[in-house]
Amino acid sequence: MSPSALGELLAIFEENFRSRGELGASVSVWWRGEEILSHGQGWCEKERQRPWTTQTLVPVYSATKGPSAATLLLVLDERGMGPETPVREVWPGFPLAEASFAHLLSHQCGLAALDQKAQIWDHAEVIAAVEAQAPAWRPGQGHGYHPRTFGALVEEPVRRLTGRRLGEVWREKIAAPLGLEFWIGLPESEWPRVARLYPGKAAAEDMQGGFYREFNAPGSLVRRAFDSPRGLRSVQDMNDPAAWSAGLAAMGSVGTASALAKFYQAAIGAIESPLTENVRRALAQVRISGDDKVLIQPTAFSCGCQLDPLDAAGTKLRQLYGPSTRAFGHPGAGGSHALGDPDSGISFAYVMNQMELSVLPGRKSVAMVDALFGD
């Protein structure tokens, strides 16, 4: 790992505060089992009451999905099951008989939008809506990101197999053994450490892309996917301790950049961890790629994580996860970002409280990733 790359990354991190509206943020880089960079600065709120440090906690929205998927995969692996296991072996009421857990975890089951109204706070209500849903597409017919229903889709099998909530299993089997300050269901004792989130502002050019055109079209699949299940739509709602403690497995985790980067060290096998070889392989192996029916652009997914999509020649269409075609991770709404690269042994995470309006990682984090892998 080049010291100059780390220096350039830090320079970009600091430039984010000067020219890109950063308020409070942390960045962490691990390499071959050691944390080689941990930095945080700024403020936990606009009133500048609490300085931001590397120990500050913040909600990271969909960056939750990687840890949640790892939890389900580990529970399956402990029982001699895996990605190819039919979902109905665990969840008989699942609406697709042909679907495997690989299909479920890679957004191939067409359950991104629910017709039956359900509140995100009521797991039983959401599961009833999922079981009643006619899939918008089936395995073999493409894929589309499940921004919110993904939480119920991974939570229900964990509950059926363990009798416990996914966040509890995550804490016991993965987070606690690794010493991760990252919770899917934050205990009240940690509430004072949480920074306040602030929404991003839309620029005119943001609204011109295909995703935002569809997102703003009433009744569109994109709009319905981001409305299903209902609740927790505003950033203000995510500043409520009820959201932190609910343990929502698609978007409800709270943690530090260091913890998220260390999780991806475990996911790429750079440190000893509870994640078995089967789990790590499932997190890293591409299961589907191509045009995403919800994000309205090419995407690629493993069992629970994203990778950069490739063109017909095998060249990356973008480099959100660095130059390696094997690197994987997951962003979170507003700008949080995390990845692991098994080729270099590097993992990276960035978290912040001033959000951007971007469905994929924005300039603040991508510029740091480019610097990290630049040399």
Side-chain angles (χ1 to χ4, degrees), residues 306-310 314 316 318-328 339-346 369 373:
Q306 285 190 19
L307 298 91
D308 290 318
L310 310 178
K316 284 195 168 196
R318 52 180 178 260
Q319 290 196 12
L320 302 183
Y321 300 99
S324 170
T325 58
R326 298 205 303 146
F328 61 94
L339 64 90
D341 174 16
D343 289 335
S344 66
I346 290 173
V369 172
F373 293 101

Side-chain angles (χ1 to χ4, degrees), residues 210-225 227:
F211 170 79
Y212 282 106
R213 283 200 307 271
E214 290 297 308
F215 180 81
N216 289 313
S220 70
L221 173 63
V222 176
R223 181 64 170 267
R224 292 171 56 237
D227 280 343

Side-chain angles (χ1 to χ4, degrees), residues 293-369:
K293 300 174 189 291
V294 172
L295 296 183
I296 317 299
Q297 57 191 297
T299 59
F301 287 97
S302 66
C303 289
C305 289
Q306 285 190 19
L307 298 91
D308 290 318
L310 310 178
D311 64 16
T315 302
K316 284 195 168 196
L317 296 177
R318 52 180 178 260
Q319 290 196 12
L320 302 183
Y321 300 99
S324 170
T325 58
R326 298 205 303 146
F328 61 94
H330 213 292
S336 56
H337 190 28
L339 64 90
D341 174 16
D343 289 335
S344 66
I346 290 173
S347 62
F348 162 92
Y350 157 78
V351 301
M352 77 298 127
N353 61 343
Q354 176 55 64
M355 300 172 68
E356 299 176 295
L357 192 74
S358 176
V359 71
L360 291 175
R363 185 181 177 189
K364 289 192 294 184
S365 64
V366 174
M368 286 189 282
V369 172

Side-chain angles (χ1 to χ4, degrees), residues 80-99:
M81 302 178 182
E84 310 310 324
T85 300
V87 178
R88 281 193 177 175
E89 282 194 18
V90 175
W91 180 358
F94 191 71
L96 293 94
E98 72 272 33

